[in-house]
Amino acid sequence: MNTIHHVINGQHINGHSTRYGDVFNPATGEASKKVVLGTDEDLNAAVAAAKAAFPAWAETPPLARARVLFRARDLIEQRMDELAAIITSEHGKILSDAKGEVTRGLEVVEFATGVPELLKGEYTEQVGRGIDAWTMRQPVGIAAGITPFNFPVMVPLWMAPMALATGNCFILKPSERDPSASIMLADILKEAGLPDGVFQVVHGDKDMVNAILAHPDIAAVSFVGSTPVAQHIYATGTAHGKRVQALGGAKNHALVMPDCDLEKTVDALIGAAYGSAGERCMAISVAVSVGPIADPLVAALAQKVKTITIGNGTDSSSEMGPLVTAQHLARVKGLVDSGVSQGATLVVDGRNIKIDGYEKGFFIGGSLFDNVTSEMDIYREEIFGPVLCVMRAPDFDTALKLINESPFGNGTAIFTRDGDSARTFVHNVTAGMVGVNVPIPVPMAFHSFGGWKDSLFGDHHMHGPEGVRFFTRMKAVTQRWPAGIRSGAEFIMPTHG
Ligand code: NAD
């Protein structure tokens, strides 16, 4: 059986571990590979290599660092199909969606190649007589990234290009469910000319994560995953004096106004709720319908959900692949069961689907609930599967209040033709990313990605200008040259007047 190893100091190594995790192909249900679950010693080896590599990398001019990323960008593009195939074989999402994920990650690499411009500080001549002042940004040192299963290429690329471009060494701990893509990223960066020890991959489960959080030489931790783990990462990492950004789970609502373009709204909701089998942090999982649109909305959604083509992600006719693991499949089915027992109307039931030739795969069909209320588990829990909950609100204000009462605040969207409703929604909704007739408003690489409330712990969003800030420390310099000192010592607080 194929074993997936760490990449430490440029070498693929097994390390000290005697523990391994199974990596499944979700379409066939087979555990075709295993991944090493690393130890404290493995992390120590990676940190030692990073410490050794850091001074030279931090001294490398930003332009030269950018050139490495330019080469990495080309290699990622050349190997797009290979990367997508790896994603599909371990995550299950359809190939075209996997390519879309790689493209969104590539865009961060492209943004990071502009690092000489991004690191330009601010300069003020003559803040006092003969005194000039400026700010500059320097790397934090060794940064770690801990990433979820649902975007095995894109989420590591939200972090690593920004960390590397700004002069840090970066240690990635990818999800143990689909760890192979991270190895390919390490190989690509090495081929692009990145020195050994600057980007490394350590595998593992919560033991490795906790070792990262406690390691005294790791200065910053960037995390993406579920809310309970994000809370743990933020609390533990900051208690150890680290800078932490921890992006958590989500329950993204779409507010559907009666004046929306129904056909376009339904298409948008179907893609956003069922794409990638709902395993997206920006998936729409709740549609809040306002007034009389509810009946036609549910009828149109039901018709489309039933026709989604489900199959192996490698099959070009598939629109939706399997869930990631058997455990996750059981959890999603259990939540659909709970929706029925707690009184929601199950309009489309995807629980008992069978895919010919893939009887052991982790497949579930799309499910659609109507008449969902805020006490139900299907509303309160992040299902992270192909399940859309429709709620009915009498008016805009009630719908907005419901959305704002959610503990999550990742993404949200309004569907309307009315500018006033749209503007009022954008202005008042308590979420970090807002779409107007755009179901999944994921910011481009040159903006920053992040939610509010229980969807993000920490002060910085991911990539874009916020990524530069997260991975750098600001230094403010005030300078006066000796020729300017014409008097003796000063004993009062300088005011630069
Ligand atoms: P997860 O929280 O289970 O795992 C994320 C990472 O944390 C993995 O690397 C895992 O090994 C590690 N981990 C898991 N349990 C841990 C524990 N008890 N202690 C320490 N580390 C632990 O998340 P997942 O199931 O891989 O991914 C899905 C979740 O990620 C969803 O909740 C989704 O909304 C969220 N997500 C959020 C965003 C965002 O931008 N906000 C993006 C993608 C995914």
Side-chain angles (χ1 to χ4, degrees):
M1 194 189 274
N2 211 337
T3 304
I4 301 155
H5 291 126
H6 307 298
V7 183
I8 295 177
N9 206 16
Q11 306 300 314
H12 292 224
I13 59 162
N14 187 77
H16 296 79
S17 189
T18 51
R19 291 197 305 133
Y20 297 86
D22 286 331
V23 178
F24 290 88
N25 180 329
T28 62
E30 282 163 15
S32 48
K33 302 173 206 165
K34 56 182 184 165
V35 60
V36 61
L37 301 176
T39 64
D40 289 12
E41 289 103 309
D42 299 330
L43 180 65
N44 289 340
V47 172
K51 267 178 105 167
F54 176 68
W57 182 244
E59 284 301 310
T60 302
L63 190 58
R65 297 199 296 252
R67 286 189 183 126
V68 173
L69 291 172
F70 270 113
R71 288 192 290 271
R73 185 228 159 270
D74 289 350
L75 291 169
I76 292 170
E77 195 175 50
Q78 282 162 25
R79 297 196 198 152
M80 172 93 62
D81 289 348
E82 225 181 307
L83 273 166
I86 286 175
I87 296 171
T88 297
S89 71
E90 294 180 4
H91 175 285
K93 67 178 73 173
I94 59 173
L95 271 174
S96 53
D97 192 31
K99 279 187 205 167
E101 155 175 4
V102 178
T103 303
R104 293 309 294 261
L106 190 62
E107 287 161 7
V108 183
V109 182
E110 287 167 343
F111 175 72
T113 58
V115 73
E117 174 71 19
L118 297 170
L119 283 178
K120 274 177 12 190
E122 294 172 328
Y123 187 89
T124 309
E125 187 188 26
Q126 200 76 342
V127 292
R129 290 175 195 282
I131 303 172
D132 307 322
W134 70 92
T135 57
M136 55 199 201
R137 294 198 159 270
Q138 297 186 326
V140 294
I142 302 173
I146 301 162
T147 52
F149 81 83
N150 67 321
F151 287 109
V153 168
M154 183 183 79
V155 171
L157 289 180
W158 280 356
M159 306 168 178
M162 302 307 304
L164 302 177
T166 50
N168 300 278
C169 290
F170 188 78
I171 299 174
L172 173 65
K173 203 303 284 173
S175 170
E176 62 275 40
R177 314 251 173 277
D178 45 14
S180 293
S182 59
I183 304 299
M184 195 162 163
L185 290 179
D187 291 346
I188 283 174
L189 285 163
K190 187 178 168 96
E191 193 178 331
L194 193 73
D196 289 346
V198 177
F199 176 87
Q200 302 179 91
V201 182
V202 292
H203 295 291
D205 53 17
K206 62 179 168 32
D207 291 351
M208 179 57 88
V209 171
N210 290 332
I212 289 171
L213 296 175
H215 202 293
D217 294 327
I218 293 177
V221 174
S222 184
F223 171 86
V224 177
S226 58
T227 290
V229 181
Q231 274 167 324
H232 165 65
I233 302 283
Y234 186 73
T236 314
T238 52
H240 283 90
K242 299 184 195 317
R243 180 179 289 197
V244 181
Q245 57 177 180
L247 277 64
K251 196 82 186 173
N252 305 309
H253 297 66
L255 196 161
V256 183
M257 292 295 285
D259 66 354
C260 73
D261 179 322
L262 186 62
E263 203 184 320
K264 289 200 175 105
T265 302
V266 167
D267 281 341
L269 291 178
I270 291 287
Y274 301 99
S276 199
E279 292 173 323
R280 288 182 183 144
C281 64
M282 288 292 276
I284 291 286
S285 49
V286 183
V288 188
S289 63
V290 170
I293 193 84
D295 286 341
L297 176 72
V298 171
L301 284 170
Q303 206 187 359
K304 296 232 166 173
V305 177
K306 288 179 195 153
T307 63
I308 296 172
T309 310
I310 299 161
N312 190 338
T314 55
D315 182 342
S316 59
S317 66
S318 299
E319 294 170 316
M320 198 174 98
L323 292 180
V324 68
T325 57
Q327 291 84 340
H328 189 47
L329 174 64
R331 181 177 176 275
V332 173
K333 278 188 180 170
L335 278 162
V336 177
D337 294 346
S338 81
V340 174
S341 64
Q342 291 174 9
T345 311
L346 185 56
V347 183
V348 181
D349 183 357
R351 283 173 293 182
N352 296 313
I353 190 171
K354 293 274 171 291
I355 308 291
D356 285 345
Y358 295 99
E359 285 75 13
K360 291 192 177 144
F362 312 138
F363 289 96
I364 186 168
S367 291
L368 176 68
F369 277 110
D370 191 6
N371 299 307
V372 175
T373 61
S374 51
E375 307 78 47
M376 295 174 181
D377 289 345
I378 49 170
Y379 180 73
R380 291 187 306 108
E381 301 269 323
E382 180 184 32
I383 302 174
F384 223 54
V387 182
L388 178 62
C389 297
V390 177
M391 301 176 86
R392 293 172 178 240
D395 51 45
F396 173 87
D397 288 342
T398 312
L400 178 61
K401 184 166 177 285
L402 177 95
I403 296 172
N404 284 349
E405 281 170 0
S406 169
F408 298 105
N410 214 37
T412 187
I414 185 169
F415 290 89
T416 182
R417 285 194 173 99
D418 178 51
D420 175 49
S421 305
R423 188 185 182 280
T424 306
F425 181 77
V426 168
H427 188 64
N428 293 304
V429 76
T430 54
M433 294 169 282
V434 186
V436 176
N437 298 314
V438 172
I440 304 192
V442 174
M444 294 294 286
F446 32 94
H447 290 270
S448 300
F449 180 109
W452 286 13
K453 301 190 276 187
D454 285 357
S455 296
L456 190 152
F457 304 91
D459 302 319
H460 294 92
H461 288 202
M462 199 67 71
H463 64 67
E466 287 274 273
V468 176
R469 290 180 200 123
F470 181 75
F471 288 112
T472 56
R473 295 187 288 190
M474 186 184 270
K475 191 177 273 181
V477 184
T478 306
Q479 173 179 274
R480 173 164 64 182
W481 289 100
I485 302 172
R486 300 189 198 278
S487 54
E490 290 171 6
F491 296 99
I492 55 164
M493 186 75 180
T495 56
H496 306 323

